[in-house]
């Protein structure tokens, strides 16, 4: 339904942020062991965060973990600056990658998904499914996106995944939720049952419970259909 319609996606943005960063690692332009120094701009990003302070240093792996488990906006900004030199340059990479993947309804203005004066990140259910299909190729991305709880800052800060379907629906192993008031509640969910993979996307419900019920209904419907041959 409305699979090609562009809608504000909030923190589902971070799937692309993680993908671009991990592809930089894969291509040797960065390392998961890189020390990332928090800039003033990263420390000032609001919303969901791990409360980075200017000058604090974490590894790229630690920030990616915070990005994907607890949807940390400050981590997203710090990652972008480290990978591309500035958040603006990183966003250019995000948009270029979206084009390569055939995500024709997608436009990024920042690496975290918060609504800004510069613009609101948008995508469509089909585009988010295309992105999820690419994300599935990255073991670490999926490992962190499917982690229920973990810690940050040497165990002093608890991380809890926003994707509650990880514990409530059989086979769910990712991927990313999104929310702010105007965008509504959204989620891209990956599922594996009996050797068959599904990707399910819901964007822009008014209630979190509605989003999760829609996702569960779509998952069960999907697994009642004949498997699609590659």
């Amino acid at each position: 339904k409305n699979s090609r319609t562009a809608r504000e996606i909030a923190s589902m943005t971070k799937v692309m942020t993680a993908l671009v960063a991990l592809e930089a690692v894969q291509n040797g332009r960065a390392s998961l062991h890189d020390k990332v120094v928090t800039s003033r701009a990263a420390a000032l990003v609001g919303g969901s965060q791990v409360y980075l302070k200017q000058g604090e240093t974490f590894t790229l792996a630690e920030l990616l973990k915070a990005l994907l488990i607890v949807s940390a906006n400050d981590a997203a900004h710090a990652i972008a600056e480290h990978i591309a030199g500035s958040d603006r340059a990183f966003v250019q990479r995000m948009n270029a990658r979206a084009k390569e993947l055939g995500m024709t309804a997608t436009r990024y203005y920042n690496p975290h998904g918060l609504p800004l004066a510069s613009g609101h990140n948008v995508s469509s259910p089909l585009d988010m499914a295309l992105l999820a299909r690419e994300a599935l190729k990255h073991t670490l991305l999926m490992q962190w996106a499917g982690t229920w709880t973990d810690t940050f800052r040497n165990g002093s800060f608890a991380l809890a995944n926003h994707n509650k379907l990880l514990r409530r629906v059989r086979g769910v192993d990712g991927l990313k939720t999104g929310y702010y008031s105007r965008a509504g509640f959204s989620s891209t969910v990956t599922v594996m049952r009996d050797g068959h993979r599904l990707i399910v996307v819901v964007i822009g419900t008014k209630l979190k419970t509605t989003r999760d019920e829609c996702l569960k209904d779509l998952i069960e419907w999907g697994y009642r259909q004949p498997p699609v041959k590659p």
Side-chain angles (χ1 to χ4, degrees):
K1 181 179 179 181
N2 300 323
S3 65
R4 299 177 186 272
T5 301
R7 300 285 299 271
E8 293 175 44
I9 56 170
S11 283
M12 289 202 302
T13 293
K14 296 182 178 85
V15 180
M16 180 62 85
T17 304
L19 179 68
V20 171
L22 286 169
E23 286 180 341
V25 171
Q26 190 176 54
N27 295 333
R29 298 194 305 270
S31 167
L32 291 171
H33 304 293
D34 284 353
K35 300 295 185 181
V36 181
V37 181
T38 305
S39 68
R40 181 173 184 272
L44 290 174
V45 178
S48 179
Q49 57 187 298
V50 285
Y51 303 97
L52 300 179
K53 297 179 178 63
Q54 184 177 356
E56 275 193 306
T57 301
F58 296 94
T59 66
L60 179 58
E62 288 175 311
L63 292 175
L64 282 166
K65 181 175 74 170
L67 175 87
L68 288 165
I69 298 176
V70 79
S71 196
N73 297 317
D74 46 1
H77 194 101
I79 290 166
E81 289 179 328
H82 178 74
I83 295 295
S86 71
D87 62 322
R88 181 174 296 184
F90 188 85
V91 168
Q92 290 176 345
R93 292 192 189 183
M94 294 170 71
N95 283 312
R97 194 69 180 98
K99 186 176 181 179
E100 291 171 356
L101 292 171
M103 299 168 63
T104 57
T106 299
R107 177 68 179 174
Y108 298 109
Y109 294 90
N110 62 66
H112 44 68
L114 288 173
L116 300 177
S118 57
H120 308 88
N121 296 353
V122 297
S123 190
S124 68
L126 175 59
D127 282 8
M128 288 305 307
L130 292 173
L131 177 58
R133 185 172 64 180
E134 193 67 20
L136 284 163
K137 298 176 182 178
H138 293 265
T139 303
L140 274 177
L141 193 160
M142 294 304 301
Q143 177 184 316
W144 285 320
T147 297
W148 181 243
T149 58
D150 208 315
T151 58
F152 188 71
R153 275 202 184 86
N154 296 317
S156 65
F157 189 98
L159 305 176
N161 205 305
H162 295 181
N163 180 9
K164 305 310 178 189
L165 298 190
L166 287 168
R167 283 288 185 90
R168 295 174 183 168
V169 177
R170 183 171 71 89
V172 170
D173 56 5
L175 182 58
K176 191 72 194 71
T177 63
Y179 170 78
Y180 57 77
S181 57
R182 196 173 84 174
F185 292 93
S186 304
S187 190
T188 299
V189 173
T190 54
V191 197
M192 177 63 84
R193 288 186 190 175
D194 304 321
H196 297 297
R197 168 69 70 187
L198 285 186
I199 298 168
V200 183
V201 183
V202 170
I203 301 179
T205 68
K206 292 182 179 180
L207 299 173
K208 184 188 298 184
T209 51
T210 303
R211 177 197 65 191
D212 288 353
E213 287 302 317
C214 286
L215 288 164
K216 286 189 285 186
D217 288 346
L218 284 166
I219 291 167
E220 298 308 325
W221 175 85
Y223 279 109
R224 290 195 299 270
Q225 311 310 308
V228 177
K229 295 181 180 180

